[in-house]
Amino acid sequence: MAQNTNVNKAEELTNQIKLRISAITSTAEYMLWIYPIKSLCYDGKQLCLTATSDHAANTLTANYTDLFLKVIDELDLPVESVLFISEKEAEKIRSIEQPKSPVEGFVEKKNPFVSKYTFDNYVVGSSNRMAVVTAHTVAENPGLNDGLLSLNPFYIYGGVGLGKTHLLHAIGNYLFEHRPELNVIYVSADRLSNEYFSSLNKYNSDKDSYRNFYHKYAACDVLMVDDVQFLQKKGGLQEVFFHIFNDLYQNGKQIILSSDRPPKEINDLEERLRTRFLWGMTTDIDLPEYETRINIIMKKLEGSSAKISQDIICYLAEKVNTNIRELEGALLKVLMYTQLTHKEATLDVAKEALKEHTKDTVEQIDSDKIISTVSEYFHIPSSDIIGKKKNKEIVEARMVAVYLICEMLNLPLVTIGQIFGGRDHTTIMYSRDKISNIIATDKEMKTTIEDIKSSLKCR
Ligand code: ADP
Ligand code: MG
């Protein structure tokens, strides 16, 4: 009974304080920090309040305690001190008070990382040794900064298909196993930007949307952002990311970034982010040399029943020297071929299976070729595809061309923007995403894209 009275009193006091603060702070500040606060308990002197996360609780303690005490004083409330703790902490306290049955209370955490992308499955060679060693060290000591050695942020860069995403997931898998208490988030820059903009769009109907977005990232223990070259400058995204970065960094949380190029080569990056990206450790991943390519094939064959002779392995390693994703694709083709034809995998079979592949790489597809193929397909002149006209048909063809170039060529968005008459890279990103969304639900568009792709390959 006494406890209930305390809980009610705590709520009453908290409501009075929040109401007063709402009158003297900006709406944005109030919505972000004060509104989500809930009362926990009151012992006649101290008022204990909960915040949505550890991060929020820390911020409130550091920046808002004085304001609370001032308001308490003005309202002449019987409170001597305030204490902010996170909901999670509060939950722990509650569960100690009323122990739940283990089955009910126990929620198994799901591993969000790709299970085959582990350190064990990652072949080390001179092309990636530094990156792997650093990734290991970061996984073992997230947030390490002892004054001499800072691995925060850890920035990995290298061309497409060279194993950046695999390495990030390897760190994630390691932490999931060894440090399950940590909140580790992997997100691509594209996804981060979508979440950010959709949180802003939802703001009118859901005042918590932006705050939830911000806290999700600013309050984690390890944040991995893949392909940061896609962090767009428009719409305040880089500014928000700057604040998230600072919050994490100041709290000793680990930040891990990947990109297809070093920070200084990302054109569209705010200077203050560029400098921050260079604060910790930067390593690159190179094209793997022949030896490593052999080892990668062997690794991929581990545990498989397929019989692939040594000369085939050497043949593949020799032929496919572009990147590891293609090497995997080529190996898969050989395996499929032998399975479908029931032929034994001989060197000739491998050559046969790779015919397509060698053709692709010999006959380079470039943006001109894509644009002219799209032009033929839609019966619209190339000049209109890259031009400014806004008819529905032309816009559609243009977006398809943009999508194909984004997908088939490894070009920076800015460059693609230039190809399309100096359009902004966000416009390019918009077209790319729009078509990929349409493809997800619309069979007709999917077929269009496939048709254009196959006619490109026959040219
Ligand atoms: P990126 O993110 O750099 O474009 P990914 O991490 O997606 O490249 O790698 C492409 C493919 O190559 C993945 O299937 C990955 O498992 C494989 N791969 C890349 N590097 C290695 C490596 N060192 N050892 C084994 N597999 C690798
Ligand atoms: Mg990747």
Side-chain angles (χ1 to χ4, degrees):
M1 183 65 201
Q3 210 181 9
N4 265 345
T5 326
N6 273 347
V7 170
N8 292 344
K9 184 69 185 169
E11 190 174 338
E12 185 195 318
L13 291 167
T14 308
N15 289 343
Q16 280 177 282
I17 298 169
K18 280 169 72 174
L19 187 66
R20 181 59 167 251
I21 293 182
S22 74
I24 55 176
T25 49
S26 72
T27 312
E29 195 178 6
Y30 182 79
M31 292 314 291
L32 192 58
W33 300 111
I34 312 299
Y35 171 77
I37 294 173
K38 293 199 180 85
S39 60
L40 184 66
C41 57
Y42 170 65
D43 64 3
K45 287 180 179 170
Q46 187 178 56
L47 179 61
C48 186
L49 303 162
T50 68
T52 44
S53 64
D54 287 331
H55 168 73
N58 292 340
T59 309
L60 286 163
T61 307
N63 303 339
Y64 288 89
T65 306
D66 286 349
L67 178 65
F68 270 73
L69 293 176
K70 185 172 146 249
V71 168
I72 288 165
D73 195 42
E74 278 172 15
L75 296 173
D76 205 12
L77 300 174
V79 178
E80 287 173 20
S81 61
V82 284
L83 179 71
F84 298 100
I85 65 172
S86 67
E87 305 262 17
K88 221 164 57 196
E89 285 301 317
E91 202 46 53
K92 273 190 213 153
I93 297 171
R94 284 191 203 106
S95 68
I96 295 167
E97 280 168 359
Q98 319 158 324
K100 285 181 185 160
S101 75
V103 183
E104 196 189 315
F106 185 66
V107 183
E108 198 174 346
K109 205 169 137 192
K110 201 174 156 287
N111 184 351
F113 303 102
V114 177
S115 60
K116 63 175 182 167
Y117 285 176
T118 58
F119 281 119
D120 281 346
N121 290 337
Y122 203 80
V123 174
V124 184
S126 57
S127 54
N128 60 20
R129 180 164 288 115
M130 193 59 200
V132 178
V133 170
T134 314
H136 246 296
T137 315
V138 167
E140 284 163 3
N141 314 277
L144 177 76
N145 186 350
D146 63 6
L148 283 175
L149 177 67
S150 168
L151 300 177
N152 205 12
F154 172 35
Y155 187 105
I156 315 170
Y157 68 91
V160 68
L162 294 184
K164 303 179 295 294
T165 300
H166 185 141
L167 210 47
L168 297 190
H169 279 263
I171 297 174
N173 276 310
Y174 181 96
L175 288 169
F176 186 81
E177 191 185 330
H178 294 91
R179 303 285 300 276
E181 77 283 7
L182 295 184
N183 176 10
V184 182
I185 300 185
Y186 165 92
V187 67
S188 68
D190 255 356
R191 163 109 193 241
L192 189 75
S193 112
N194 287 342
E195 280 184 26
Y196 167 68
F197 288 113
S198 94
S199 83
L200 292 187
N201 288 339
K202 273 193 255 151
Y203 188 78
N204 280 337
S205 57
D206 174 10
K207 294 275 181 287
D208 291 343
S209 57
Y210 171 70
R211 192 174 48 78
N212 290 341
F213 163 81
Y214 188 89
H215 284 312
K216 173 173 165 194
Y217 293 104
C220 68
D221 296 302
V222 176
L223 177 61
M224 303 194 260
V225 183
D226 207 354
D227 290 316
V228 285
Q229 72 273 15
F230 294 133
L231 261 193
Q232 45 177 314
K233 208 170 195 173
K234 271 207 181 143
L237 177 63
Q238 286 191 8
E239 185 176 347
V240 168
F241 189 66
F242 171 77
H243 290 295
I244 292 174
F245 186 106
N246 287 345
D247 280 353
L248 291 170
Y249 190 86
Q250 278 158 18
N251 291 315
K253 308 298 186 187
Q254 180 71 48
I255 303 148
I256 304 171
L257 307 162
S258 94
S259 174
D260 63 350
R261 64 200 81 180
K264 70 170 189 306
E265 286 175 26
I266 307 180
N267 291 333
D268 212 30
L269 189 65
E270 284 185 17
E271 213 41 50
R272 54 184 182 167
L273 275 180
R274 197 192 311 279
T275 15
R276 274 167 180 72
F277 287 1
L278 290 164
W279 273 354
M281 176 66 108
T282 302
T283 61
D284 65 334
I285 303 184
D286 250 334
L287 276 171
E289 63 286 28
Y290 178 71
E291 194 80 271
T292 310
R293 298 205 291 276
I294 298 263
N295 291 337
I296 289 173
I297 300 178
M298 309 273 269
K299 182 58 117 186
K300 304 281 168 193
L301 287 170
E302 249 172 40
S304 127
S305 59
K307 287 198 180 51
I308 303 283
S309 62
Q310 193 63 34
D311 55 343
I312 292 182
I313 295 177
C314 294
Y315 176 78
L316 291 176
E318 197 178 304
K319 280 284 173 205
V320 190
N321 54 8
T322 41
N323 68 52
I324 299 168
R325 191 172 297 141
E326 292 207 356
L327 189 62
E328 273 182 358
L331 176 63
L332 199 68
K333 270 188 195 161
V334 173
L335 292 175
M336 295 265 287
Y337 192 94
T338 56
Q339 240 174 38
L340 290 174
T341 59
H342 301 290
K343 282 191 202 164
E344 201 187 316
T346 61
L347 199 53
D348 283 341
V349 170
K351 284 182 183 161
E352 180 74 25
L354 280 197
K355 251 193 198 152
E356 281 283 307
H357 171 84
T358 12
K359 205 167 87 196
D360 283 1
T361 47
V362 172
E363 261 189 54
Q364 279 294 332
I365 292 172
D366 58 20
S367 60
D368 282 348
K369 235 178 233 173
I370 294 179
I371 290 168
S372 61
T373 311
V374 171
S375 145
E376 275 166 32
Y377 186 92
F378 286 100
H379 305 289
I380 289 173
S382 292
S383 57
D384 280 347
I385 290 184
I386 58 173
K388 302 265 179 256
K389 287 190 190 157
K390 290 211 159 64
N391 318 17
K392 195 163 164 281
E393 296 76 32
I394 296 179
V395 170
E396 185 181 64
R398 189 178 296 140
M399 292 206 290
V400 166
V402 167
Y403 171 82
L404 286 166
I405 290 176
C406 287
E407 208 210 16
M408 302 181 80
L409 308 179
N410 178 26
L411 290 177
L413 293 176
V414 179
T415 312
I416 302 176
Q418 281 154 5
I419 294 171
F420 286 84
R423 286 187 160 77
D424 195 87
H425 74 287
T426 51
T427 316
I428 300 301
M429 195 176 330
Y430 173 82
S431 304
R432 177 194 67 193
D433 293 347
K434 174 108 192 201
I435 297 293
S436 72
N437 284 337
I438 298 177
I439 291 174
T441 52
D442 181 336
K443 273 219 179 81
E444 205 175 315
M445 181 58 89
K446 202 167 164 225
T447 322
T448 302
I449 297 287
E450 276 162 13
D451 288 349
I452 299 175
K453 270 191 189 169
S454 52
S455 74
L456 262 167
K457 291 198 172 135
C458 297
R459 284 180 148 229

